[in-house]
């Protein structure tokens, strides 16, 4: 009988990771022990994928920083006066501690929030309400007073937090004066200050360029803050504060750094133990959108910062339903199955632009697999920061 099981994604339980732990040894041992489990076990195969969360990689590295470290870096780079913060996401986990640290390094913060939603889809107010009030979010710059007059106090539907009020309170408690405006044109901040930190994630380079071209004095991004250690702190030379998570009220865990040797070490260990060549990756947020809360689940700068070479590239797949409805519309049953398998076996090495591949997901393998891993591991109490995937590179012809 032909094989009936395709891709399988398994969460692998692991011990709680602490700074200094040998992550290569822990991940390898967890996978090998899980494979031997009497009820849940599996056989390691070539081209299986082992993935681990960015969180355990950063924890093992001890890649943490305090609000004092952030404050010192901000003060050194922007002078400690009035600092404009533009386009932060609305998140207690992702941005609140960073905001405290930045505010501690300035006398005044001019906080510019995008509206009706932030970059990843957290809404301050719904678009219909904005339109009903006659506001043009592409042009209109609103003061806090005008915003409250138009829209009042709005709590996030899932967190129950009014982020405007929450962020203002954090800034003032950190010892800085605070002014809040609402705008979507980066250049609006220049009416208030020319020393700016751009807090957006995926549009960051574009925002920086606009402000520099407009004559801003000092323009930094979150990727420039803690891009090097401060007083021995953690850091990330590529991403700075991008991808951070709240660790405590006074510390953040930064995105992991320099993990290429880690993924390659795990790959070697599995090969030595089993004779099988697996692929290995570190992953963060998946790239997908919640249709109810409208949140785009991608607050990390990239899905997969480190991975072995076999995960380069994009899928090269034919659309089975296209073949069934077009090329072989007159066939059915075993005859149809055989014909489709034949098309797959002889497909071109590069299907870009071919109609038979239309509708297949045009994304990088690391983004697709990382999204699968993020959904598998979750972000709560499952205790499975390692994900083991089998059959991802198989197709309808694989037995």
């Amino acid at each position: 009988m032909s094989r009936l099981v395709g891709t399988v994604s398994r969460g692998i339980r692991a011990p709680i990771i602490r700074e200094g732990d040998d992550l290569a040894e822990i991940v390898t041992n967890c996978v090998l022990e899980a494979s031997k489990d009497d009820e849940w076990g599996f056989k390691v195969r070539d081209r299986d994928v082992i993935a681990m969360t960015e969180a355990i990689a950063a924890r093992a590295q001890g890649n943490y920083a305090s609000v004092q470290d952030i404050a010192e870096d901000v003060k050194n780079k922007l002078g400690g006066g009035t600092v404009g913060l533009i386009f932060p996401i609305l998140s207690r986990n992702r941005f609140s501690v960073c905001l405290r640290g930045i505010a501690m390094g300035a006398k005044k913060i001019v906080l510019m929030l995008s509206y009706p939603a932030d970059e990843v889809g957290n809404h301050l107010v719904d678009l219909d309400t904005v339109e009903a009030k006659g506001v043009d979010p592409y042009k209109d710059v609103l003061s806090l007073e005008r915003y409250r007059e138009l829209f009042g106090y709005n709590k996030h539907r899932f967190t129950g937090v009014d982020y405007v009020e929450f962020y203002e309170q954090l800034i003032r408690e950190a010892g800085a004066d605070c002014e809040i405006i609402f705008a979507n044109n980066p250049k609006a901040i220049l009416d208030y200050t020319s020393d700016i930190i751009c807090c957006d994630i995926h549009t960051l380079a574009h925002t920086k360029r606009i402000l520099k071209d407009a004559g801003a004095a000092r323009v930094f991004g979150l990727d420039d803050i803690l891009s090097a250690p401060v007083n021995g702190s953690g850091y990330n030379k590529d991403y700075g504060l991008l991808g951070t998570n709240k660790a405590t009220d006074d510390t953040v865990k930064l995105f992991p750094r320099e993990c290429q040797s880690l993924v390659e070490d795990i790959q070697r260990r599995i090969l030595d133990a089993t004779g099988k060549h697996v692929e290995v990756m570190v992953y963060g947020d998946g790239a997908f959108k919640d249709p109810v809360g409208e949140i785009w689940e991608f607050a990390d700068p990239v899905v997969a910062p480190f991975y072995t070479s076999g995960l380069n590239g994009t899928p090269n797949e034919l659309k089975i339903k296209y073949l069934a409805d077009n090329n072989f519309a007159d066939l059915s049953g075993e005859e149809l199955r055989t014909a489709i398998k034949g098309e797959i076996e002889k497909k071109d090495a590069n299907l870009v632009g071919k109609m038979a591949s239309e509708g297949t997901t045009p994304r990088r393998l690391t983004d697709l697999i990382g999204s699968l891993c993020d959904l598998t591991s979750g972000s709560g109490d499952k205790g499975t920061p390692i994900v083991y995937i089998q059959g991802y590179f198989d197709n309808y012809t694989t037995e």
Side-chain angles (χ1 to χ4, degrees):
M1 185 176 180
S2 296
R3 172 177 159 185
L4 296 177
V5 177
T7 301
V8 176
S9 180
R10 294 180 174 88
I12 305 294
R13 291 181 178 174
I16 306 301
I17 303 300
R18 295 293 190 185
E19 181 178 354
D21 284 350
D22 186 340
L23 198 56
E25 180 178 3
I26 290 171
V27 171
T28 302
N29 288 343
C30 285
V31 168
L32 294 177
E33 288 302 309
S35 72
K36 300 172 187 175
D37 187 280
D38 290 339
E39 184 175 357
W40 299 92
F42 51 89
K43 183 178 179 180
V44 176
R45 296 182 175 91
D46 287 322
R47 297 220 76 189
D48 288 354
V49 179
I50 298 172
M52 72 207 82
T53 63
E54 58 81 20
I56 63 171
R59 287 172 66 85
Q61 291 174 343
N63 203 20
Y64 292 83
S66 70
V67 290
Q68 289 81 10
D69 299 326
I70 296 170
E72 183 170 335
D73 204 21
V74 168
K75 189 172 184 178
N76 288 340
K77 286 173 175 168
L78 289 118
T82 298
V83 176
L85 293 187
I86 72 171
F87 302 154
I89 65 172
L90 307 175
S91 173
R92 293 168 298 175
N93 174 43
R94 290 290 190 169
F95 191 67
S96 65
V97 180
C98 295
L99 178 58
R100 278 192 64 212
I102 294 169
M104 288 168 60
K107 288 182 180 179
K108 179 179 179 179
I109 296 293
V110 180
L111 181 66
M112 191 171 96
L113 300 172
S114 56
Y115 74 101
D118 69 9
E119 180 185 4
V120 296
N122 292 295
H123 276 69
L124 290 170
V125 60
D126 67 83
L127 183 58
D128 288 339
T129 301
V130 171
E131 292 177 347
K133 295 290 186 178
V135 175
D136 184 347
Y138 300 102
K139 295 180 180 179
D140 293 343
V141 179
L142 308 178
S143 66
L144 177 58
E145 293 72 23
R146 181 59 175 156
Y147 171 85
R148 291 299 191 199
E149 179 186 332
L150 288 166
F151 307 120
Y153 288 77
N154 295 285
K155 293 184 177 181
H156 191 282
R157 66 180 300 165
F158 288 150
T159 66
V161 173
D162 181 315
Y163 280 96
V164 178
E165 183 177 58
F166 177 56
Y167 280 180
E168 181 181 20
Q169 183 177 350
L170 276 177
I171 292 167
R172 296 192 186 281
E173 288 177 350
D177 191 10
C178 178
E179 183 172 1
I180 299 177
I181 62 173
F182 302 81
N184 291 306
N185 184 339
K187 290 185 284 188
I189 194 67
L190 296 175
D191 290 336
Y192 301 83
T193 179
S194 60
D195 290 334
I196 302 152
I197 299 177
C198 305
C199 302
D200 43 344
I201 305 164
H202 307 293
T203 55
L204 180 58
H206 177 70
T207 303
K208 282 184 180 179
R209 180 188 60 75
I210 288 174
L211 289 169
K212 289 176 181 178
D213 289 349
R218 288 179 282 199
V219 178
F220 293 92
L222 285 182
D223 59 331
D224 299 308
I225 309 302
L226 289 187
S227 56
V230 174
N231 299 323
S233 72
Y235 69 98
N236 191 303
K237 67 181 181 63
D238 297 313
Y239 302 120
L241 287 179
L242 289 180
T244 57
N245 291 92
K246 178 179 179 179
T248 71
D249 287 342
D250 298 311
T251 58
V252 291
K253 177 196 64 60
L254 286 85
F255 214 47
R257 61 179 192 268
E258 301 161 4
C259 290
Q260 192 59 38
S261 61
L262 169 66
V263 296
E264 292 172 358
D265 187 9
I266 294 170
Q267 186 181 56
R268 281 192 299 269
R269 289 174 185 243
I270 294 294
L271 180 63
D272 291 342
T274 67
K276 302 299 181 181
H277 183 90
V278 301
E279 304 297 343
V280 185
M281 68 188 292
V282 175
Y283 69 95
D285 274 350
F288 46 86
K289 185 174 181 178
D290 170 16
V292 177
E294 300 184 65
I295 299 168
W296 183 38
E297 179 66 20
F298 192 19
D300 286 327
V302 293
V303 173
F306 304 98
Y307 49 88
T308 49
S309 60
L311 296 177
N312 277 312
T314 57
N316 190 58
E317 300 173 342
L318 294 172
K319 195 77 169 179
I320 288 180
K321 65 182 181 183
Y322 178 88
L323 296 175
D325 290 343
N326 291 272
N327 299 39
F328 308 115
D330 58 333
L331 302 181
S332 61
E334 186 60 31
E335 190 176 11
L336 174 58
R337 180 174 175 274
T338 300
I340 289 178
K341 290 180 73 172
E343 287 295 300
I344 293 172
E345 287 170 345
K346 68 180 185 182
K347 68 183 177 182
D348 294 340
N350 187 347
L351 293 169
V352 174
K354 301 293 178 66
M355 188 60 70
S357 68
E358 184 180 10
T360 57
T361 309
R363 286 194 276 163
R364 296 183 302 177
L365 290 168
T366 50
D367 296 336
L368 291 163
I369 296 171
S371 297
L372 173 60
C373 290
D374 191 25
L375 288 167
T376 301
S377 61
S379 59
D381 58 8
K382 288 184 173 62
T384 56
I386 304 164
V387 175
Y388 196 85
I389 298 172
Q390 294 188 295
Y392 192 84
F393 296 101
D394 295 347
N395 60 41
Y396 194 49
T397 69
T398 307
E399 298 295 343

